[in-house]
């Protein structure tokens, strides 16, 4: 046979070497990264976690509101007011105003201020607006505008509600004292239920006190 002689050995060595090189090349080859698929997975994970957090928060707050006891007092007027021992400060959930047990010890001015403030949230449907903003933030979490939009809506809701309460109290210093008293109690709320509201109280008090001092300052000039 023509392939049985010694001259066939170099050719066999070349073929073996070529096969080993081909095998090494195929083993070291890695397919390109699919960046679109990776970005989609990251987006879905973050959006899913934010939506899950929002859903859990809604469910827990709904259970809290459902377990709260309805309050029927003359000073509650026509508002849907419930008392819960879990919270330490006033909260609005949908069209329901949740108050802590300490509300029975509040004086008339404090009760009127709290109801006016929380009632403004109910009348303006701030809960639902902020819920939609939270959904938008969860879906478009990658956009700084979505986070700013939610924060700004919450600030505007507090500004409008504070203005309504000031119309009832008619004393900015007294209303500022009421806010400070409420936030001091909120610090001890379990599970941080009121931290979102408490972190904005300092800004609200500073704004109220600044507007209270503005007429005297202008008059001095």
């Amino acid at each position: 046979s023509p392939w049985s002689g010694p001259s066939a050995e170099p050719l066999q060595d070349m073929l073996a070497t070529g096969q080993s090189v081909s095998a090494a090349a195929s083993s070291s080859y890695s397919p390109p990264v699919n960046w679109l698929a990776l970005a989609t997975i990251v987006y879905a994970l973050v959006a899913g976690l934010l939506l899950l957090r929002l859903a859990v928060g809604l469910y827990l707050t709904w259970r809290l509101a459902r377990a709260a006891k309805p309050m029927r007092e003359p000073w509650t007027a026509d508002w849907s007011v419930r008392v819960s021992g879990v919270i330490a400060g006033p909260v609005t959930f949908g069209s329901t105003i949740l108050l802590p047990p300490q509300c029975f010890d509040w004086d008339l001015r404090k009760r009127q201020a709290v109801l006016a403030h929380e009632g403004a949230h109910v009348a303006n449907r701030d809960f639902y607006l902020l819920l939609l903003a939270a959904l938008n933030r969860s879906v478009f979490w990658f956009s700084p505008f979505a986070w700013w939009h939610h924060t700004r809506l919450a600030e505007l809701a507090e500004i409008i509600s504070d203005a309504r309460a000031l119309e009832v109290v008619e004393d900015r210093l007294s209303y500022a004292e009421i806010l400070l008293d409420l936030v001091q109690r909120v610090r001890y709320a379990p599970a941080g239920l009121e931290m979102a509201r408490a972190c904005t109280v300092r800004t609200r008090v500073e704004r109220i006190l600044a507007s209270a001092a503005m007429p005297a300052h202008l008059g001095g000039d």
Side-chain angles (χ1 to χ4, degrees), residues 99-112:
L99 299 179
Q102 295 81 7
C103 66
F104 295 104
D105 300 328
W106 294 346
D107 57 25
L108 180 59
R109 171 174 288 186
K110 188 171 183 178
R111 291 175 178 177
Q112 291 176 340

Side-chain angles (χ1 to χ4, degrees), residues 119-194:
H121 283 306
V122 174
N124 296 327
R125 292 172 173 76
D126 292 331
F127 174 83
Y128 303 103
L129 290 176
L130 291 176
L131 177 58
L132 290 176
L135 287 173
N136 177 75
R137 183 182 59 181
S138 300
V139 175
F140 299 100
W141 57 265
F142 52 86
S143 172
F145 174 77
W147 295 84
W148 175 86
H149 180 252
H150 181 272
T151 302
R152 185 54 179 165
L153 282 180
E155 292 176 352
L156 291 175
E158 296 300 331
I159 291 174
I160 295 172
S161 297
D162 284 338
R164 175 57 185 146
L166 285 171
E167 294 178 0
V168 175
V169 177
E170 297 181 349
D171 186 349
R172 294 180 179 273
L173 294 178
S174 297
Y175 184 62
E177 292 176 354
I178 292 173
L179 287 179
L180 290 175
D181 179 65
L182 289 174
V183 74
Q184 287 175 357
R185 298 179 182 275
V186 160
R187 290 175 183 172
Y188 301 98
L193 290 175
E194 287 299 302

Side-chain angles (χ1 to χ4, degrees), residues 1 13 17 46 123 154 169 179 197:
S1 171
D13 293 341
T17 303
V46 177
V169 177
L179 287 179
R197 182 75 61 88

Side-chain angles (χ1 to χ4, degrees), residues 28-155:
S28 62
Y29 172 77
S30 58
V33 179
N34 191 337
W35 293 107
L36 179 60
L38 181 61
T40 303
I41 293 173
V42 172
Y43 165 79
L45 285 176
V46 177
L49 288 175
L50 291 175
L51 290 172
L52 177 62
R53 178 187 175 188
L54 180 61
V56 171
L58 284 173
Y59 173 71
L60 293 177
T61 309
W62 173 78
R63 287 189 58 185
L64 185 151
R66 185 179 181 184
K69 297 181 179 180
M71 175 190 291
R72 294 178 177 85
E73 298 289 338
W75 58 274
T76 60
D78 295 329
W79 297 113
S80 175
V81 181
R82 290 174 173 262
V83 178
S84 173
V86 179
I87 63 176
V91 185
T92 300
F93 179 73
S95 58
T96 301
I97 299 174
L98 300 174
L99 299 179
Q102 295 81 7
C103 66
F104 295 104
D105 300 328
W106 294 346
D107 57 25
L108 180 59
R109 171 174 288 186
K110 188 171 183 178
R111 291 175 178 177
Q112 291 176 340
V114 170
L115 278 184
H117 181 95
E118 301 300 328
H121 283 306
V122 174
N124 296 327
R125 292 172 173 76
D126 292 331
F127 174 83
Y128 303 103
L129 290 176
L130 291 176
L131 177 58
L132 290 176
L135 287 173
N136 177 75
R137 183 182 59 181
S138 300
V139 175
F140 299 100
W141 57 265
F142 52 86
S143 172
F145 174 77
W147 295 84
W148 175 86
H149 180 252
H150 181 272
T151 302
R152 185 54 179 165
L153 282 180
E155 292 176 352

